[in-house]
Amino acid sequence: MSTTSRWRALTHHHLFWPVAVLVFLLLVNVPFTPDFFSVKMTDGHLYGSLVSIVLFGSPLILVAVGMTVVIATGGIDLSVGAVVAITGALACSYISHQADQGALSGVLLAMGLGLLAAVVCGLWNGFLVARMGIQPIIATLIIMVAGRGVAQLITDGQIITIESKPYELIGGGYWLTLPFSIFVVAVVVAVTVALTRRTALGLLIEAVGGNAEASRLVGIRSRRIKIMVYVFCALCAAIAGLMISSNTSAADGNNAGLWIELDAILAVVIGGTSLLGGRFSIGGTVVGALVIQTLTTTIYTIGVPTQTNLVFKAAVVIVVCLLQSPKFRAKVFGAKFGARFGAKSGAKTAVASADTAAETDAAPKMEVS
Amino acid sequence: MSATTQSPTAADSRTPSKAQRLLGDRRLPVAATALLFLVMYGVGLGRYQYYGFAEPQVFLNLFIDNSYLLVAAVGVTFVILSGGIDLSVGSVIGFTTMFTAWLVERQGVPLLLVIPMALVVGAFGGFLMGYVIHNFEIQPFIVTLAGLFLFRGLCLVISKESISISDSAVSSMAQTQVSLGMGFLSIGAIVSLVVLAVAFYVLHYTRFGRRVYAIGGNGQSALLMGLPQGGTTIAVYTVSGFCSALAGLLFTLYIQSGDPLHATGMELDAIAAVVIGGTLLTGGSGYVVGTLFGVLVLGLIKSIIQFEGTLSSWWTKIATGVLLCAFILVQRVMTGRKKT
């Protein structure tokens, strides 16, 4: 009795299925790369597939964490890719104009400039959504369209390459044997979790997402919260932008962060946050982003042609979304199964969708192996 | 406000003043876009008079160079009027160019056979998305996002490299010029204008058109009135898929190659054209003629930037964004007034 109930509690934890998929995906790699889990120490740095998954997944995790908070308020932010491009372009062009590109003060100023630009973008998005009452998809579309133009304007249409040791640290450097970007991600995630789960902020965000009008009547400043989440999301995107441009030591206004908004939304959905808002899970999102990165890595290591990557992603999105739909579950699995997950309305639906989503999320990938 | 009663048509208890009636007129946004187009054209005439801007062919080139965008935007107009959104447009266009190039060049299938095949594939893709959106009640945004990934992925599955088309049927069709006396149009431009005319007829003179407006205006009441909401939703996405595939064919003609990266992000151009054309993104209000002006305005920005010479292409993106923003805000102010 107690073991079964403990098992039930475990499988009903909202992180269970996303984590299960992640573990499954990691295990799929073992037959193809036997030393997949081994982490070697070379030149005082840790190397290994696991480390590189987190390293290459860092920008996506950051953007997805910001996106989670926005989606929790019932919104969506399409402009993150453009913000990534703008930030990288600003920072790199500032550094490239310095006499000494390695000077720490110049690098810090460049980063500050990038972050400031992101805050402006976030304020603008938040203003349109919260003050003007424009649908989030449309409001953020403006910067998505114009932002890449601005980024190219900053870089003058060129790919700016820089040589700056301190700047390289953010995206390509090592600290305490681990890639520095992992620490950046850890700090951002920890701060976000602390702010949203140790204070009432998370609750307020969910209240706004559940019903903005009701929360306003209750006395929550829903407009201010909405503006805040867009600024936060833009800041996360900006850090990702710094990381990407630092990793390549270059700013590419056209291609930096291309389609990252779509990957981020996908990560949020895999992590069990409903696109309807009102409920979110930062942990789920981090796992979701890792699932996407692992999927990409797996496709590489297994030797599946990389061009099918997008088709797999599409399959994952479709399956995840279908399983989030109560109607689909009722039709395919019958009323009983549908009820099992559907009946726990409200609070549990997001969780239910996450675990069922994750369950067959693995299906298309099994074909790979 | 309520003091002025005595309205014979009784639907509204107040008689709006002339200014209010003008502001509330649904045709106003279209008129504004048309006016904007004329003003921009006038400015262009003034600035580049001596560089041949006034030649009729420059004007006709707007239709030739943007024929594919017009067709795609017409499809998106249907979707947005019904209250949805379609993000898969650019991918379907890209996929169609690859599909056509691959069949014509690598498999030797005659072009006349490939055209209907491409159209069927596009329409079927749209149908599937509409089916999922309606039957499983998943947000159009995420379903068409999956469509975006899928079709872009399928492009790459066909070939990673671009395939140039040297087929004589394609190049002769691409080079055909339909003379209009003062200039000429390409076949693509003619097709796009036919599509526009058909869309205009369907939206304003058929039952299907009324249904699209009805479910976009208020899906719930449309359903209660007994309108086939599901069928209409599915049909709207099918139309959009068909238009995207047709736009892909026109793009193939225009550029005479298939490339897995063709038309990346064109869904945004199409959505922008629809919005600038005055169609409300919440659905239920707008005109497909507005979409034409939206496309023409976007095309004119590109021409002006070409004529300017010193401005770089990224100014197109920035100008599009600024225009988009302006129109969204205007729409917002207008709909806000209507409510109160």
Side-chain angles (χ1 to χ4, degrees):
Chain A
M1 174 60 199
S2 72
T3 41
T4 49
S5 66
R6 211 173 285 164
W7 173 247
R8 273 184 67 86
L10 180 67
T11 53
H12 279 78
H13 190 268
H14 68 279
L15 282 180
F16 177 78
W17 285 107
V19 169
V21 172
L22 182 59
V23 170
F24 170 79
L25 265 182
L26 290 171
L27 288 177
V28 165
N29 281 286
V30 175
F32 297 91
T33 7
D35 56 348
F36 186 76
F37 284 102
S38 72
V39 176
K40 284 186 219 91
M41 181 75 107
T42 319
D43 300 334
H45 301 330
L46 287 175
Y47 285 100
S49 303
L50 292 180
V51 179
S52 46
I53 285 176
V54 183
L55 173 62
F56 293 131
S58 301
L60 180 59
I61 296 176
L62 284 174
V63 174
V65 164
M67 187 71 82
T68 311
V69 185
V70 169
I71 287 179
T73 65
I76 203 153
D77 190 347
L78 296 183
S79 71
V80 284
V83 172
V84 164
I86 293 177
T87 316
L90 258 184
C92 286
S93 73
Y94 184 83
I95 293 175
S96 71
H97 285 110
Q98 299 296 302
D100 174 20
Q101 295 194 4
L104 189 63
S105 60
V107 169
L108 285 178
L109 215 60
M111 287 163 60
L113 213 58
L115 295 178
L116 190 70
V119 170
V120 173
C121 289
L123 279 175
W124 171 250
N125 285 334
F127 167 76
L128 288 182
V129 172
R131 289 274 157 194
M132 304 301 294
I134 294 167
Q135 284 166 286
I137 292 185
I138 307 309
T140 53
L141 185 69
I142 296 172
I143 294 187
M144 185 185 188
V145 171
R148 284 201 184 274
V150 172
Q152 279 171 300
L153 185 70
I154 295 167
T155 61
D156 211 18
Q158 310 288 317
I159 295 177
I160 296 183
T161 50
I162 52 165
E163 247 179 85
S164 168
K165 278 284 160 222
Y167 191 65
E168 247 183 71
L169 176 73
I170 318 165
Y174 282 81
W175 191 54
L176 294 179
T177 75
L178 277 173
F180 186 72
S181 52
I182 292 179
F183 292 99
V184 177
V185 169
V187 168
V188 171
V189 170
V191 167
T192 314
V193 170
L195 276 179
T196 54
R197 290 301 178 222
R198 291 281 167 260
T199 72
L201 195 58
L203 194 67
L204 298 184
I205 288 171
E206 289 181 337
V208 171
N211 188 335
E213 187 57 20
S215 64
R216 194 185 63 81
L217 293 174
V218 163
I220 299 170
R221 291 172 193 261
S222 61
R223 282 179 173 177
R224 193 177 287 180
I225 288 194
K226 276 190 182 174
I227 294 177
M228 217 178 61
V229 292
Y230 283 96
V231 172
F232 175 73
C233 183
L235 272 176
C236 287
I239 301 173
L242 293 176
M243 211 175 256
I244 290 171
S245 65
S246 139
N247 193 20
T248 53
S249 286
D252 181 352
N254 219 3
N255 295 313
L258 198 61
W259 291 354
I260 204 167
E261 55 276 339
L262 304 181
D263 273 347
I265 295 167
L266 183 55
V268 173
V269 174
I270 291 179
T273 298
S274 160
L275 277 172
L276 299 174
R279 175 154 298 273
F280 70 98
S281 158
I282 299 286
T285 295
V286 173
V287 175
L290 287 175
V291 165
I292 293 175
Q293 189 57 45
T294 312
L295 175 63
T296 312
T297 311
T298 309
I299 289 171
Y300 274 114
T301 54
I302 282 179
V304 174
T306 49
Q307 57 265 34
T308 51
N309 196 336
L310 276 175
V311 178
F312 279 109
K313 241 181 223 173
V316 174
V317 180
I318 292 166
V319 171
V320 166
C321 293
L322 283 180
L323 288 160
Q324 280 206 342
S325 151
K327 262 196 148 181
F328 177 81
R329 290 198 302 260
K331 270 186 192 171
V332 174
F333 304 114
K336 218 177 164 187
F337 186 87
R340 207 181 113 207
F341 286 104
K344 301 177 191 69
S345 59
K348 283 283 179 186
T349 32
V351 179
S353 50
D355 56 33
T356 38
E359 201 165 14
T360 25
D361 175 5
K365 277 155 259 153
M366 269 190 277
E367 289 160 26
V368 185
S369 56
Chain B
M1 277 298 208
S2 54
T4 51
T5 47
Q6 282 268 319
S7 84
T9 42
D12 233 345
S13 60
R14 58 200 165 128
T15 316
S17 73
K18 218 171 186 181
Q20 276 173 326
R21 225 183 305 161
L22 185 68
L23 266 178
D25 196 321
R26 291 181 162 203
R27 287 168 297 188
L28 185 67
V30 181
T33 313
L35 188 69
L36 175 76
F37 174 73
L38 288 178
V39 168
M40 281 170 64
Y41 195 73
V43 170
L45 278 180
R47 267 182 85 90
Y48 319 112
Q49 207 176 357
Y50 305 107
Y51 303 98
F53 196 84
E55 276 177 34
Q57 193 56 47
V58 171
F59 180 73
L60 291 178
N61 279 348
L62 285 180
F63 291 87
I64 295 175
D65 296 336
N66 298 291
S67 56
Y68 51 91
L69 181 59
L70 178 57
V71 173
V74 165
V76 173
T77 310
F78 276 84
V79 176
I80 291 184
L81 280 177
S82 79
I85 198 146
D86 190 348
L87 295 181
S88 69
V89 172
S91 290
V92 175
I93 293 176
F95 172 75
T96 309
T97 67
M98 277 312 273
F99 182 76
T100 312
W102 181 70
L103 281 182
V104 170
E105 281 299 308
R106 301 276 163 87
Q107 309 298 317
V109 182
L111 182 66
L112 283 178
L113 253 169
V114 174
I115 291 174
M117 281 164 77
L119 292 178
V120 167
V121 170
F124 183 67
F127 169 81
L128 276 185
M129 286 188 270
Y131 183 85
V132 171
I133 290 167
H134 169 65
N135 281 291
F136 306 130
E137 289 173 357
I138 306 175
Q139 288 170 320
F141 178 84
I142 202 84
V143 175
T144 54
L145 175 62
L148 183 155
F149 280 135
L150 182 68
F151 278 102
R152 196 55 76 186
L154 289 176
C155 280
L156 290 160
V157 169
I158 292 178
S159 164
K160 260 200 274 190
E161 316 276 302
S162 70
I163 305 174
S164 65
I165 302 177
S166 52
D167 185 76
S168 59
V170 176
S171 51
S172 71
M173 200 188 269
Q175 280 155 18
T176 306
Q177 298 182 346
V178 183
S179 177
L180 287 182
M182 53 175 183
F184 64 86
L185 283 178
S186 65
I187 289 187
I190 302 282
V191 170
S192 69
L193 289 175
V194 170
V195 168
L196 180 76
V198 170
F200 184 81
Y201 176 77
V202 168
L203 279 173
H204 300 306
Y205 296 101
T206 65
R207 257 186 284 178
F208 173 67
R210 297 317 300 167
R211 282 175 194 157
V212 172
Y213 277 96
I215 65 168
N218 189 332
Q220 202 66 39
S221 1
L223 194 64
L224 290 174
M225 277 197 299
L227 294 183
Q229 194 194 17
T232 311
T233 304
I234 295 174
V236 157
Y237 286 94
T238 312
V239 167
S240 180
F242 177 86
C243 283
S244 305
L246 185 57
L249 287 170
L250 298 186
F251 194 63
T252 317
L253 269 191
Y254 184 72
I255 213 149
Q256 296 199 34
S257 70
D259 189 298
L261 291 178
H262 270 340
T264 312
M266 197 175 281
E267 58 279 348
L268 299 178
D269 287 342
I271 294 170
V274 174
V275 173
I276 292 174
T279 300
L280 280 191
L281 278 153
T282 39
S285 174
Y287 296 92
V288 74
V289 175
T291 303
L292 169 68
F293 282 110
V295 170
L296 287 179
V297 165
L298 291 185
L300 195 57
I301 295 176
K302 271 187 251 167
S303 312
I304 286 182
I305 283 170
Q306 272 166 17
F307 269 89
E308 189 65 32
T310 54
L311 285 180
S312 311
S313 64
W314 46 86
W315 280 106
T316 317
K317 290 178 190 169
I318 297 177
T320 310
V322 170
L323 266 186
L324 190 63
C325 176
F327 274 82
I328 289 169
L329 289 178
V330 166
Q331 281 189 0
R332 182 62 209 159
V333 169
M334 289 180 59
T335 49
R337 282 231 180 105
K338 239 184 259 171
K339 267 183 205 157
T340 46

